Amino acid sequence: MMKKLWELYVSFFKIGILTFGGGLAMLPMLKREVVDKYKWTTEEEMLDIYAIGQCTPGIIAVNTATYIGFQQAGVLGGIIATLGEVTPSIIIILLIASALKEYMDTPVLLHAFAGIRVVVCALMLDTVVMMARKGIKDKIGVFLFLAAFLLATFSPIPTALVIVLAAVFGVIYARFRSKKGGDRS
């Protein structure tokens, strides 16, 4: 049990220390650790867990770590995985806060942050492509993807509501399709 808890802590510590830019940026590292290395879950289940983490209140990375930790080692596993996820952020924030005031306007720091933003955008785009390949399976999926993207990007509708609406649509469509008896893509 202690080995499993240590693996959870170290895995989510690594994810936490390398996650710049929010929840989507963590997906490649999450896949590497949780799916490929430890095989705690499948890629499809990881995307489902991530989606649930995104829909629930709180930080996506923390929600995901808590869920996977709980799934692997109960309540203590959830706590340990969550601590692993947040420890790097706490350390980094404390270090940056102590030095940032003095160096905030230096060109090197400004360029470093600009570089980090570019890499985060590339990671997020890679993640969106991976999720689209896994999640879009038919014409309805393409329609739902485009509708959700347009609503989330260009409308004042909160993203969480767009996700809930997509889920409701998916359930209704699945029931309709099962009553019709077959795949209509």
Side-chain angles (χ1 to χ4, degrees):
M1 179 66 155
M2 287 303 291
K3 182 181 179 202
K4 172 76 76 169
L5 293 174
W6 177 249
E7 288 171 346
L8 284 166
Y9 183 83
V10 170
S11 291
F12 282 100
F13 185 92
K14 286 193 276 185
I15 293 167
I17 204 162
L18 296 174
T19 302
F20 291 95
L24 281 177
M26 79 181 267
L27 277 176
M29 187 67 176
L30 187 66
K31 179 185 176 295
R32 193 173 308 121
E33 287 291 313
V34 172
V35 176
D36 298 338
K37 184 175 180 180
Y38 289 106
K39 302 193 183 337
W40 288 330
T41 188
T42 66
E43 195 170 325
E44 289 78 19
E45 289 171 338
M46 181 197 73
L47 292 174
D48 290 342
I49 292 166
Y50 181 83
I52 291 168
Q54 196 170 23
C55 292
T56 54
I59 302 166
I60 299 166
V62 171
N63 293 345
T64 304
T66 305
Y67 185 88
I68 292 172
F70 178 80
Q71 189 180 46
Q72 292 303 305
V75 173
L76 187 57
I79 292 168
I80 295 297
T82 302
L83 287 173
E85 180 67 40
V86 301
T87 301
S89 297
I90 292 169
I91 292 169
I92 291 168
I93 288 169
L94 290 174
L95 292 173
I96 290 175
S98 64
L100 198 57
K101 278 187 181 179
E102 191 173 328
Y103 299 105
M104 185 58 187
D105 294 327
T106 61
V108 171
L109 189 61
L110 295 173
H111 291 301
F113 283 135
I116 289 170
R117 282 192 295 273
V118 170
V119 171
V120 166
C121 288
L123 287 172
M124 290 172 66
L125 181 60
D126 179 61
T127 301
V128 168
V129 169
M130 177 197 62
M131 291 177 77
R133 285 183 181 150
K134 294 284 181 188
I136 300 174
K137 299 179 192 283
D138 55 15
K139 291 176 187 172
I140 294 296
V142 172
F143 167 76
L144 197 54
F145 169 78
L146 291 173
F149 174 77
L150 292 172
L151 286 172
T153 306
F154 300 110
S155 78
I157 299 172
T159 307
L161 182 57
V162 172
I163 292 168
V164 169
L165 291 172
V168 168
F169 180 84
V171 168
I172 292 169
Y173 175 71
R175 286 191 178 174
F176 174 77
R177 194 171 77 183
S178 69
K179 285 182 182 179
K180 292 289 183 180
D183 185 27
R184 300 189 184 268
S185 41

